[in-house]
């Protein structure tokens, strides 16, 4: 994978472990020549990963909607900044640029982006690895919700398996690099009893 989008918060959270994980992932990308595609911000987790990669002379591409293109938000150090009209445009642009998705801790926007990536794969519009770095058990409750969705018949187990989960970067990257997408079918499989 040459280009990976990282979805993450515009906040750092209360525990320094989250910022440390963003920095560690940034260092991994820089060492392995992976281009970061991200939301274009200089704040929070977004800023931490972008700053780390830029400090190591790595490549970063930001994609930011016009409504967020404000001096206190946009990262002025990112040379390739794509400004789009709407939030929904941002996701389409990112999707076209990347080979895979990684999600770090964040809020509503982060989960929205994660689940859109999973939905695109479930519908076989895309066949890219979608991973979460489950730092400090941050996504445990989200994973429990997916289990409940499968248990109650709203999510097929093979679709739940589209999400790659690891609590450390080497394991996550290894799983993503070895990801084999499901075979495409002409019929979208629905959950039925």
């Amino acid at each position: 994978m040459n280009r990976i989008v990282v979805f993450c918060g515009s906040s750092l959270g209360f525990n320094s472990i989250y910022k440390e994980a963003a920095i560690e992932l940034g260092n991994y990308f820089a060492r392995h020549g992976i281009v970061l595609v991200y939301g274009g911000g200089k704040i929070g987790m977004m800023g931490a990963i972008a700053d780390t990669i830029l400090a190591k002379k790595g490549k970063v591409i930001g994609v930011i909607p016009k409504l967020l293109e404000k001096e206190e938000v946009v990262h002025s150090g990112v040379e390739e900044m794509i400004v789009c009209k709407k939030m929904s445009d941002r996701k389409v642009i990112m999707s076209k640029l990347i080979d895979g998705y990684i999600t770090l801790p964040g809020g509503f926007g982060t989960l929205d982006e994660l689940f859109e990536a999973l939905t695109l794969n479930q519908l076989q519009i895309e066949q890219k690895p979608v991973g979460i770095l489950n730092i400090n058990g941050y996504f445990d409750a989200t994973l429990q919700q997916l289990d409940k969705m499968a248990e109650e018949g709203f999510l097929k187990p093979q679709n739940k398996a589209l999400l790659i989960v690891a609590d450390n970067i080497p394991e996550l990257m290894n799983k993503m690099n070895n990801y084999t997408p499901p075979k495409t079918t002409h019929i979208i499989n629905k959950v039925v009893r």
Side-chain angles (χ1 to χ4, degrees):
M1 288 181 293
N2 298 315
R3 291 180 174 188
I4 298 175
V5 71
V6 175
F7 301 136
C8 57
S10 57
S11 297
L12 287 171
F14 297 132
N15 189 330
S16 63
I17 196 168
Y18 301 123
K19 180 180 180 183
E20 291 163 14
I23 291 169
E24 186 182 344
L25 185 60
N27 282 322
Y28 184 97
F29 277 26
R31 270 195 320 275
H32 293 89
I34 298 169
V35 176
L36 168 68
V37 177
Y38 85 121
K42 69 178 182 182
I43 55 178
M45 299 282 285
M46 288 195 289
I49 190 169
D51 288 344
T52 302
I53 294 170
L54 292 169
K56 304 275 187 188
K57 307 294 184 223
K59 181 145 168 79
V60 176
I61 300 170
V63 184
I64 194 162
K66 188 81 176 149
L67 72 114
L68 296 178
E69 190 194 19
K70 298 176 178 13
E71 190 176 323
E72 64 273 12
V73 176
V74 72
H75 198 306
S76 59
V78 175
E79 289 183 21
E80 190 172 346
M81 186 67 67
I82 300 167
V83 180
C84 55
K85 287 183 180 179
K86 300 180 285 190
M87 292 290 278
S88 56
D89 295 338
R90 172 198 244 177
K91 294 177 193 171
V92 172
I93 292 165
M94 287 177 161
S95 170
K96 289 179 180 176
L97 290 173
I98 55 100
D99 305 308
Y101 300 87
I102 292 178
T103 302
L104 298 178
F108 284 152
T110 302
L111 289 178
D112 170 59
E113 291 165 324
L114 168 65
F115 283 110
E116 176 143 346
L118 286 168
T119 301
L120 290 173
N121 276 275
Q122 176 181 288
L123 297 174
Q124 299 180 344
I125 294 167
E126 284 191 349
Q127 292 198 302
K128 298 174 183 175
V130 179
I132 59 172
L133 190 57
N134 194 20
I135 299 300
N136 196 35
Y138 184 82
F139 291 104
D140 286 355
T142 305
L143 298 171
Q144 288 173 352
Q145 180 62 48
L146 297 182
D147 289 339
K148 183 68 171 174
M149 291 160 72
E151 181 185 313
E152 296 293 339
F154 290 99
L155 181 65
K156 291 188 99 154
Q158 62 264 38
N159 290 333
K160 181 174 155 268
L162 292 170
L163 182 59
I164 299 165
V165 181
D167 61 8
N168 65 78
I169 293 166
E171 181 186 356
L172 180 63
M173 294 306 299
N174 183 53
K175 287 179 175 182
M176 290 183 67
N177 282 318
N178 292 305
Y179 174 74
T180 303
K183 293 188 184 203
T184 57
T185 61
H186 295 291
I187 299 170
I188 297 171
N189 294 319
K190 292 186 167 53
V191 175
V192 291
R193 288 201 175 241

